[in-house]
Amino acid sequence: MVSMGKVNVAIIEACEVTPDGKIYLTAAGGIAPTVCRLADQIIVELNAAHSKNAMGLHDVYEPLDPPYRREIPNLQTE
């Protein structure tokens, strides 16, 4: 595994941040859980150019590292 070094700041882009703290990511959501976990600080960029219709687009899930990785569970939402 190649390491790029310590992650000081993660910048993630969102189309919405709710009063209860939920962050709805835009199109580049795949690496967000990993960089947020590794970073000392997180900056959330609220980008109004993205439609709020993107809310719920992502199922954010970070699998365990092998050999502990399992299948991705079927997460049901209401």
Side-chain angles (χ1 to χ4, degrees), residues 45-59:
E45 175 190 356
L46 186 56
N47 189 339
H50 286 275
S51 171
K52 291 185 182 182
N53 289 334
M55 292 172 62
L57 174 68
H58 302 291
D59 288 332

Side-chain angles (χ1 to χ4, degrees), residues 1-70:
M1 178 190 213
V2 176
S3 176
M4 299 295 287
K6 186 167 177 6
V7 179
N8 295 317
V9 179
I11 301 173
I12 60 170
E13 184 180 54
C15 64
E16 180 66 88
V17 178
T18 64
D20 63 346
K22 292 180 183 171
I23 299 170
Y24 289 92
L25 303 172
T26 59
I31 196 170
T34 302
V35 296
C36 288
R37 179 177 49 81
L38 296 173
D40 292 331
Q41 295 181 324
I42 302 168
I43 297 172
V44 178
E45 175 190 356
L46 186 56
N47 189 339
H50 286 275
S51 171
K52 291 185 182 182
N53 289 334
M55 292 172 62
L57 174 68
H58 302 291
D59 288 332
V60 178
Y61 178 77
E62 186 177 20
L64 297 172
D65 289 333
Y68 305 105
R69 183 169 292 166
R70 301 285 309 173

